[in-house]
Amino acid sequence: RASGDIVFIFIRKVFTQAAFRTATSSPFDHVGMVQRLGTALYLVEATGDGVQRYALLARAKLWHKSGARMVARRLYTTRTPRNMVKVDTYVDNALGKKYGISPMNMLRRKSQEEDTRTKYFCSVLLAGCYKANGLFYLGCTFESNYLPV
């Protein structure tokens, strides 16, 4: 795994998660991103605890114990040192911020500057990071429109 890879998570036992999967027609209801720092791998997530970075293996074990299923997907892109610094900077700026989803934000037609963002939904965290790395066309993509589907 490398920085930017995606981990989709299916949480079985929670009614709200099942309703979310039904509404989005997706088998997944949560998403996180792998971050490599040196030789260590982490899972960066926006959850009820806010934006946090966890040791990947330990976090995967916790998700597994909860009955969740996880699926990893590799991000196919050129990973340059410059890109990796952008990923690390983006994650560092997001760490500790609150978790949140707003229907109004989902309807936005304008991107929110990262330094003004106070809350992150799980997929918005990833889409914003990808956008910061130029993986989306600027001005055409609104990270708040992305869901873990």
Side-chain angles (χ1 to χ4, degrees):
R1 299 286 129 211
S3 287
D5 287 355
I6 300 173
V7 177
F8 289 101
I9 301 168
F10 167 81
I11 305 168
R12 300 173 197 243
K13 300 177 182 176
V14 182
F15 172 77
T16 56
Q17 302 305 90
F20 185 83
R21 285 191 305 274
T22 300
T24 61
S25 299
S26 173
F28 304 106
D29 43 43
H30 183 62
V31 64
M33 182 178 69
V34 174
Q35 183 185 25
R36 180 183 294 274
L37 294 173
T39 59
L41 291 174
Y42 296 91
L43 183 61
V44 180
E45 296 179 273
T47 67
D49 296 326
V51 179
Q52 301 290 322
R53 178 171 42 214
Y54 304 96
L56 180 62
L57 186 56
R59 189 65 171 172
K61 286 179 181 178
L62 282 175
W63 276 117
H64 179 73
K65 281 183 179 181
S66 76
R69 290 185 300 171
M70 300 176 74
V71 177
R73 294 290 182 255
R74 181 169 301 280
L75 172 66
Y76 289 98
T77 187
T78 303
R79 289 181 170 93
T80 65
R82 182 176 177 214
N83 293 110
M84 296 302 91
V85 167
K86 285 182 179 180
V87 168
D88 295 343
T89 300
Y90 182 89
V91 169
D92 288 345
N93 288 334
L95 286 174
K97 298 227 175 135
K98 293 179 181 180
Y99 170 82
I101 184 170
S102 162
M104 291 305 294
N105 282 346
M106 301 305 283
L107 299 173
R108 285 185 103 101
R109 290 290 166 222
K110 182 179 178 188
S111 289
Q112 187 173 356
E113 295 299 322
E114 291 309 313
D115 57 353
T116 65
R117 186 178 295 284
T118 60
K119 294 180 181 179
Y120 286 87
F121 183 62
C122 60
S123 54
V124 170
L125 179 68
L126 269 73
C129 187
Y130 287 0
K131 182 180 170 187
N133 272 282
L135 298 176
F136 294 146
Y137 293 106
L138 294 176
C140 297
T141 302
F142 314 107
E143 58 276 3
S144 60
N145 293 138
Y146 286 85
L147 297 171
V149 295

